[in-house]
């Protein structure tokens, strides 16, 4: 079979893939985006569970690279719902006329670097072979769903759904007994909606989490106009803030305030909503005292809201707040005051298996008609490890990363032995600690510039140097180890997936600092990279 040929193949048609396609096409390259779904949207195509919303203020949850595009769109809600975000991404695809270069219903199964031709040979599940000089992953960090390997899943006689692979048709919970496994962002958003219909709703909870208030509301015409008028400020936040988003902050440690002032500040955050529990006192991630002030505030709020003291106690989280992804919700704690909503702690009573009529725990069986797995994702590395990706000399990514236990990248963007391969929001970049569109724009812009450099210098390949990769890994580890993050087992550390424990693979220094580092690497003629030039052999940039 004759291979199709493109300059670049991009995997995934979510935020990352759409913008990457647009940039490379503007550069005059031929690009093919390969997408498994039958529409654009990435994770927002699949996560159709009830209550699914973003938790960044929606005015920041969009592209800012084009003022014209930004100003053509108006968000309806403070936090955009999944249907609205999907609508937005379809709008982007239409405005930029992207669809003709996207191949839907196709999954990349294998990609291997061809030493002689200096190209990537990409194989799909539709048995196509595509060759491209550049291969770019736009698969994101949270797209491969985690369904824990419970025994007996196929025996269950009722309905079963995963929040990250929700059916397109509305699921009717009316009069049904529903079990939800998991109370991360997805479970917390879905449960209050499911509780409105279900006869009984039981949360099977492994770890209680901190849930702040979202305070969603419709945006008024004035608020929409203001967002549009503030384009420059919004874009500025993408560049100059650690999270790529403007958040409320006092700019000081909680320890600099009296107990009354701390409470006043946190009352304000609770009343106004958003993820600001994590930003009100910027040392929350490094100072145990500050951390405990905010954590205790949430525990007190739980006691205030939840009427049954035993239930409130069960819901008390005890890890350092923000070391697992902070969650915001609507009516989450209030929901437990309803007679038909129950909570079962899995702490001393773990799930043993799924049975025909429900979930068998060590001490009891919870009978139900529907099981909702809100059990999250094989975060950070899952999607990349699913593809048989082979770099130089046939080295696979599974080998390089020791099946996810020893992740190693340069800047979270590239890897030694994998020339001309780029990751958008890959591990060891700021990714999930930021407003995702901000991180995506920065990565796509950098990759686009880098490809421009390779092309304009007549180079065949660009590849991370081993020493640059080692130094980057150390920088990421040192930064993470100066915070409280590694002290908690979480999906940040891969601890949610059996056997994937791997340390903390996110750059915690903030998107603003990270951007400066990436820009500096580019300004220094791609410091830390090696290039190959046709007929002239290998050219090394500095940092050798
Ligand atoms: O997944 P999660 P999620 N037995 O991994 C539990 C983004 N997101 O889909 O904490 C029993 O956070 C697990 O328990 P534990 C956002 O970045 C954003 O909710 O590991 N329970 C946990 O309670 C978010 O952080 C939005 O002990 C098991 C839950 O399942 C990320 O996606 C909306 C289990 C999984 O929580 C993931 O969120 C939704 C087992 N074997 C998602 N395995 C926005 O608002 C797992 N659990 C933008």
């Amino acid at each position: 079979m004759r291979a199709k040929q493109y300059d670049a193949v991009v995997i995934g048609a979510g935020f990352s893939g759409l913008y990457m396609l647009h940039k490379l096409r503007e550069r005059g390259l031929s690009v093919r985006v390969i997408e498994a779904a039958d529409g654009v949207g990435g994770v927002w195509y699949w996560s159709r569970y009830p209550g699914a919303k973003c938790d960044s203020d929606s005015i920041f949850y969009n592209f800012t690279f084009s003022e014209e595009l930004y100003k053509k769109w108006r968000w309806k809600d403070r936090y955009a719902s999944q249907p609205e975000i999907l609508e937005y991404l379809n709008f982007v695809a239409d405005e930029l006329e992207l669809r003709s270069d996207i191949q839907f219903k196709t999954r990349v199964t294998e990609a291997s670097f061809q030493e002689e031709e200096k190209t990537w040979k990409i194989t799909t599940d539709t048995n196509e072979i595509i060759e491209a000089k550049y291969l770019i992953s736009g698969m994101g960090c949270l797209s491969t769903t985690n369904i824990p390997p419970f025994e007996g899943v196929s025996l269950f006689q009722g309905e079963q759904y995963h929040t990250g692979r929700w059916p397109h048709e509305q699921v009717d919970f009316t009069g049904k007994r529903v079990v939800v496994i998991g109370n991360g962002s997805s479970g917390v958003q879905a449960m209050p909606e499911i509780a409105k219909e279900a006869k009984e709703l039981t949360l099977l909870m492994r770890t209680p989490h901190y849930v702040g208030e979202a305070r969603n509301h419709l945006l008024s015409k004035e608020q929409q106009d203001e967002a549009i008028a503030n384009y420059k400020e919004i874009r500025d936040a993408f560049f100059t803030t650690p999270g790529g988003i403007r958040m409320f902050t006092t700019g000081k440690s909680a320890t600099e305030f009296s107990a009354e002032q701390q409470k006043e500040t946190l009352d304000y955050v609770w009343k106004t909503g958003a993820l600001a529990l994590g930003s009100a006192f910027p040392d929350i991630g490094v100072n145990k005292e500050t951390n405990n002030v905010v954590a205790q505030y949430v525990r007190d709020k739980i006691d205030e809201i939840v009427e049954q003291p035993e239930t409130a106690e069960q819901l008390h989280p005890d890890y350092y707040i923000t070391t697992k992804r902070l969650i915001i919700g609507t009516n989450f704690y209030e929901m437990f005051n309803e007679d038909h909503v129950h909570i079962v702690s899995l702490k001393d009573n773990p799930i043993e298996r799924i049975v025909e009529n429900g979930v068998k725990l060590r001490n009891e069986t919870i009978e139900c008609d529907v099981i909702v797995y809100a059990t999250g994702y094989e975060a950070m590395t899952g999607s990349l490890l699913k593809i048989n990706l082979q770099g130089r000399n046939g080295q696979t990514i599974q080998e390089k990363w020791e099946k996810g236990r020893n992740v190693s990248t340069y800047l979270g963007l590239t890897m030694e032995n994998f020339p001309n391969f780029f990751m958008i929001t890959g591990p060891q970049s700021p990714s999930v600690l930021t407003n995702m569109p901000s991180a995506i724009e920065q990565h796509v812009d950098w990759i686009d510039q880098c490809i421009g450099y390779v092309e304009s210098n007549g180079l065949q390949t660009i590849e991370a140097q081993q020493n640059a990769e080692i130094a980057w890994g150390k920088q990421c580890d040192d930064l993470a180890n100066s915070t409280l993050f590694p002290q908690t087992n979480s999906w940040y550390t891969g601890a949610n997936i059996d056997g994937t424990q791997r340390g903390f693979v996110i750059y915690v220094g903030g998107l603003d600092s990270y951007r400066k580092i990436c820009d500096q690497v580019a300004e220094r003629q791609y410091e830390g990279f090696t290039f190959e030039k046709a007929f002239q052999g290998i050219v090394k940039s500095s940092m050798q």
Side-chain angles (χ1 to χ4, degrees), residues 44 49 53-55 61 142 146 148 150 163 181-187 189 204 206-207 209 324-325 346 351 374-377 432 491 496:
W44 293 109
Y49 61 85
K53 282 185 174 301
C54 69
D55 55 10
Y61 205 75
L142 293 162
N146 164 41
F150 297 126
T163 45
I181 304 175
N183 50 308
S185 299
S186 305
Q189 288 183 338
L204 302 185
R206 192 163 69 175
T207 314
H209 295 141
K324 281 180 182 245
R325 173 69 147 71
L346 299 174
I351 296 174
T375 45
Y377 298 89
V432 290
W491 61 252
N496 62 328

Side-chain angles (χ1 to χ4, degrees), residues 227-483:
I228 284 176
N230 284 346
Y231 165 74
K232 287 200 164 50
E233 268 180 48
I234 304 265
R235 181 151 174 82
D236 183 61
F238 274 41
F239 283 76
T240 57
T241 62
I245 185 168
R246 204 70 61 207
M247 301 280 288
F248 167 78
T249 182
T250 61
K252 291 180 183 169
S253 168
T255 57
E256 293 181 48
F257 295 99
S258 67
E260 291 73 32
Q261 288 169 327
Q262 290 167 351
K263 181 165 179 326
E264 217 172 275
T265 303
L266 294 170
D267 279 347
Y268 170 78
V269 168
W270 196 263
K271 203 167 121 215
T272 49
L275 292 164
L277 283 173
S279 61
F281 305 117
D283 63 343
I284 192 167
V286 291
N287 183 336
K288 290 182 184 174
E289 215 177 319
T290 291
N291 196 284
N292 188 49
V293 167
V294 184
Q296 190 54 44
Y297 180 86
V298 179
R299 286 190 286 265
D300 291 346
K301 276 286 165 198
I302 296 171
D303 292 344
E304 221 175 281
I305 298 168
V306 178
E307 287 159 10
Q308 293 287 335
E310 314 81 66
T311 309
E313 185 65 32
Q314 273 183 312
L315 285 163
H316 276 189
D318 63 2
Y319 55 89
Y320 293 117
I321 185 167
T322 69
T323 56
K324 281 180 182 245
R325 173 69 147 71
L326 196 56
I327 301 170
I328 51 174
T330 303
N331 285 329
F332 176 69
Y333 291 125
E334 288 81 352
M335 170 185 81
F336 292 99
N337 294 331
E338 297 189 36
D339 290 340
H340 72 299
V341 180
H342 320 284
I343 185 167
V344 176
S345 169
L346 299 174
K347 200 168 161 210
D348 304 311
N349 189 18
I351 296 174
E352 284 193 341
R353 62 183 171 274
I354 309 296
V355 290
E356 281 188 6
N357 60 344
V359 183
K360 164 89 180 71
L361 309 181
R362 180 182 292 159
N363 303 333
E364 62 196 304
T365 297
I366 312 288
E367 293 187 11
C368 60
D369 307 303
V370 186
I371 302 175
V372 173
Y373 299 90
T375 45
Y377 298 89
E378 292 184 27
M380 314 310 300
T381 53
S383 303
L384 284 161
L385 290 169
K386 283 265 175 321
I387 293 176
N388 183 11
L389 188 67
Q390 295 178 27
R392 284 194 202 276
N393 307 317
Q395 186 192 36
T396 65
I397 190 166
Q398 285 86 355
E399 287 162 354
K400 181 173 174 74
W401 286 357
E402 295 172 27
K403 295 188 177 158
R405 281 187 294 274
N406 191 12
V407 171
S408 169
T409 75
Y410 182 35
L411 303 173
L413 278 158
T414 61
M415 290 184 290
E416 188 215 6
N417 254 357
F418 291 74
N420 294 354
F421 171 70
F422 299 91
M423 295 167 282
I424 304 172
T425 65
Q428 295 183 334
S429 78
S431 68
V432 290
L433 294 181
T434 69
N435 175 46
M436 288 308 278
S438 316
I440 288 168
E441 279 199 3
Q442 185 268 337
H443 261 193
V444 170
D445 288 342
W446 192 91
I447 294 168
D448 170 60
Q449 291 290 324
C450 176
I451 288 178
Y453 179 87
V454 173
E455 291 297 300
S456 59
N457 285 285
L459 301 167
Q460 285 187 311
T461 62
I462 178 165
E463 179 184 348
Q465 292 169 17
Q466 190 186 45
N467 57 347
E469 202 170 284
I470 292 168
W472 182 249
K474 182 168 177 340
Q475 190 170 340
C476 289
D477 287 349
D478 289 350
L479 273 170
N481 290 334
S482 68
T483 71

Side-chain angles (χ1 to χ4, degrees), residues 212-232:
E213 280 292 333
R215 308 281 181 211
N216 187 39
H217 54 76
L218 287 175
L219 293 176
S220 64
K221 164 91 172 50
E222 291 70 39
Q223 286 168 320
Q224 290 176 341
D225 289 346
E226 198 185 323
I228 284 176
N230 284 346
Y231 165 74
K232 287 200 164 50

